[in-house]
Structure formats: C-alpha cells, structure tokens
Amino acid sequence: MLDTSARLLRLLSLLQTPREWTGAELAERLGVSGRTVRTDVERLRTLGYPVLATRGSAGGYRLGAGAVLPPLLLDDEEAVAVTVGLRTATGGAIAGIEESSLRALAKLEQVLPSRLRRRVNTLQAYTVPVPRGDAGPSVDPAVLTALSAVCRDRERLRFDYHDHAGAATVRAVEPYRLIIWGRRWYLLAWDVERSDWRTFRVDRIRPRTPTGPRFTPRDLPDDVAAYVSRRVSAAAWRYRAQVTVHAPAEVIADRIGPAAGTVERLDERTCVLHTGADTVETLAVHLGLLGADFDVTGPPELLTHLHRLAHRYIRTITSSAPGDRTG
C-alpha cells in the first residue's frame, strides 16, 4: 500500500485524466478502502484542488476548474511535449507571450528529471530550424481570446479590418473557426453583408465591442483546413495560371496539395488545374511536379520562364549525351 503522500499524488494523477472515476475504481487502483478514498479526496480539497463528486450508482469523482490553477502532474511524455511547446512558443507568432513562456519554461525545466531534460536537450540539439526570410506578423493574444470566445458562444462580431492593400473596412460576420497556417492566424467566418464565407487575417482584425446577437450555426465547408489554405493561397498569388493537364483529375488532385490549386475535371483523361504562385519560378515547379503533359497559355512571364527552362534542359541533355563523351 502506498503511504499517504504518494497515494495523494497517485490519486491526483488519476483525477487529472479527462474522465469521471467511481469510488470503487479509485479504491481498486490505489489498493485502499472506499473510506480512505473519501478521506484523501477531502485532503486534496483542503490543498485547493476542486474535486467534484456526484452521488448515486452512476456517480463518481472528477477534477473541476477552480478559482486558481492548482499544480499539475505530468507523465514523462506530457512533460517533454509541454517543454518543447514552450521552447517553440518563445519565438512564435503570438505577440506578448514570449516572456511568460520563458517564465513557465524555466519553472518546468527546473524540476524536470535528468532523463527527461536529456531527451529535450537532445531534441533541441539535433533540430535545425529553417530560417524564414519573413518572420511573419504577430497577433495580440487578447484578440485571439476574443475571437475564440465569439466562435464558442456563436455571437456575431463587428471589427475593423485592413486588407492586403491597406484599405480599411468595417466587417460584420458570424465567426466559426480560428486556423493557423504557417506562422499566420486566420478567422473563418460567414460575412453577413456579402452572404458568403470569408477568411480574414487575424493580425489585421480589431474587434469592436459589444459583440452582436447569437446566431444559428451554418454547415461548415467540407475540410475546413483545405478550404482555408486554398483561399489563403489564391489571395496571395501574384501570378495565376489555368493549365490543361492531360491526365485524369483524380490523379492530379493526389499529386498536389490544396495550397497549390484546385483541379476541375474535363473528361476521363483531361482536367484543368487552377493554380498560381508568388513567383513564376515557383509556378513552374508546380507544373513540373504534375508528372503529365500540360498546355498553358499564360501569364506571359510564365511562358518566358518555361521557354528559358526548356532551352536550359535541352542544352544540358545535348552536352551530356553519350556520343559527346571522350576518354
């Protein structure tokens, strides 16, 4: 049988799992009587842990939310995950949390067992982040909190918004989801005035208060992540192309991600790829990865680049032909 202190920690660890435990289950796990379980629950409550209890045959115990955050017990995998997450958050895209992340990280690393500290340090030592030319915009945590609250409560929201050209507008929406793509946050919402789904950059949103009335939820687009990534990519494209690909639509759809474009079926052997990119070089890479013949009529910058690539590849093949080798 565990001593009192060890038993309390074990009981707390069980209660921190997202489920409800019956007294009999806890007694069996701890190897004690039901009376001892009730006594230990009272001890935890005295220490500030909000242990909730329900009566009856289906009743049990679970850990509720209190006025203050009590100490948490983490297993090895959870401790490593939280530590890595905090280290990542110190350079994240949410403004104002770097300092608090560092404070939490310092507290956690101070009590990490040596075996876990070694795992975390090894992961960091052998992980090389790719530098970004654009660090990306940061968002205000208060804005994220406000947006998540109206999504949860299904309340209409009005906010000031600046588009990519800097034009200021006031939008009225029914907010549904927050999506993080790369280092940017987006809000997926139903635009009340335009009667359509819209995607908004969170760093460009300034919520107005008070929020509006509650709304009846609509059916979300299929695959929200893919839907938003397509919208975000298309909005950022500097060059766009409509490409006829001589291959079945389902084959091409499997070869490209939603961020690269959309595929439209023409017949069993042909489809149209609506794609784009910020540079013609990137756009040419997309086309090269299709693994099929294609026809493209523009934009002119893309055609010029494809001609340049074709001459370069022909010259390379000719210069490296077996008949031209000596020795």
Side-chain angles (χ1 to χ4, degrees):
M1 182 184 297
L2 299 173
D3 61 36
T4 302
S5 298
R7 194 174 65 245
L8 284 177
L9 289 175
R10 175 60 176 156
L11 174 59
L12 180 59
S13 177
L14 292 172
L15 291 174
Q16 286 181 343
T17 58
R19 57 160 293 183
E20 190 167 279
W21 295 86
T22 66
E25 289 174 328
L26 293 175
E28 182 181 357
R29 289 293 190 101
L30 299 173
V32 297
S33 66
R35 181 178 180 180
T36 300
V37 169
R38 291 191 293 273
T39 301
D40 287 347
V41 166
E42 288 303 320
R43 289 193 177 105
L44 288 179
R45 288 170 175 164
T46 301
L47 294 172
Y49 292 93
V51 182
L52 306 180
T54 54
R55 298 183 180 277
S57 57
Y61 297 97
R62 63 183 177 86
L63 197 63
V68 295
L69 179 67
L72 299 175
L73 291 179
L74 303 174
D75 62 27
D76 286 4
E77 300 302 324
E78 292 168 341
V80 170
V82 172
T83 304
V84 172
L86 286 171
R87 286 187 175 184
T88 303
T90 58
I94 304 178
I97 68 167
E98 294 86 353
E99 183 180 350
S100 56
S101 298
L102 284 172
R103 291 200 308 270
L105 180 61
K107 292 178 181 178
L108 182 57
E109 290 190 332
Q110 183 179 0
V111 297
L112 276 181
S114 58
R115 68 181 187 280
L116 298 185
R117 189 180 296 111
R118 185 172 183 271
R119 286 174 60 183
V120 173
N121 290 337
T122 300
L123 177 61
Q124 184 180 38
Y126 290 92
T127 301
V128 180
V130 176
R132 296 178 59 92
D134 178 14
S138 59
V139 301
D140 186 341
V143 173
L144 281 179
T145 301
L147 295 181
S148 62
V150 290
C151 289
R152 177 198 63 203
D153 298 335
R154 298 172 181 171
E155 294 178 343
R156 282 193 179 186
L157 178 70
R158 296 181 73 243
F159 56 86
D160 298 292
Y161 190 72
H162 290 80
D163 63 19
H164 65 281
T169 57
V170 178
R171 313 299 284 267
V173 303
E174 297 174 356
Y176 282 84
R177 293 290 188 274
L178 284 168
I179 299 96
I180 183 169
W181 191 49
R183 291 173 60 89
R184 290 193 173 116
W185 288 82
Y186 296 89
L187 172 68
L188 176 65
W190 177 266
D191 193 305
V192 176
E193 296 178 354
R194 293 161 177 79
S195 298
D196 196 8
W197 293 103
R198 289 290 188 270
T199 303
F200 303 94
R201 284 255 302 263
V202 172
D203 59 291
R204 296 172 178 168
I205 292 176
R206 297 296 177 267
R208 292 190 174 194
T209 56
T211 56
R214 292 179 179 269
F215 59 86
T216 302
R218 305 171 187 271
D219 292 333
L220 286 167
D222 294 334
D223 195 343
V224 170
Y227 178 86
V228 172
S229 64
R230 286 195 299 267
R231 289 290 188 96
V232 170
S233 297
W237 288 341
R238 180 182 177 187
Y239 298 99
R240 302 169 184 266
Q242 183 171 298
V243 184
T244 300
V245 186
H246 300 280
E250 57 272 16
V251 173
I252 298 303
D254 287 339
R255 293 178 182 173
I256 66 169
T262 58
V263 179
E264 176 186 351
R265 183 181 185 274
L266 290 182
D267 53 43
E268 294 182 356
R269 299 182 179 181
T270 315
C271 61
V272 174
L273 171 64
H274 303 274
T275 185
D278 193 45
T279 66
V280 291
E281 290 80 7
T282 302
L283 188 49
V285 170
H286 290 169
L287 299 181
L289 293 175
L290 294 177
D293 292 339
F294 58 85
D295 300 318
V296 58
T297 58
E301 296 89 346
L302 174 61
L303 296 177
T304 299
H305 182 66
L306 291 176
H307 280 295
R308 188 180 301 118
L309 286 178
H311 287 301
R312 185 178 300 158
Y313 292 153
I314 291 174
R315 183 193 60 79
T316 300
I317 294 173
T318 302
S319 62
S320 59
D324 294 338
R325 294 177 183 174
T326 59

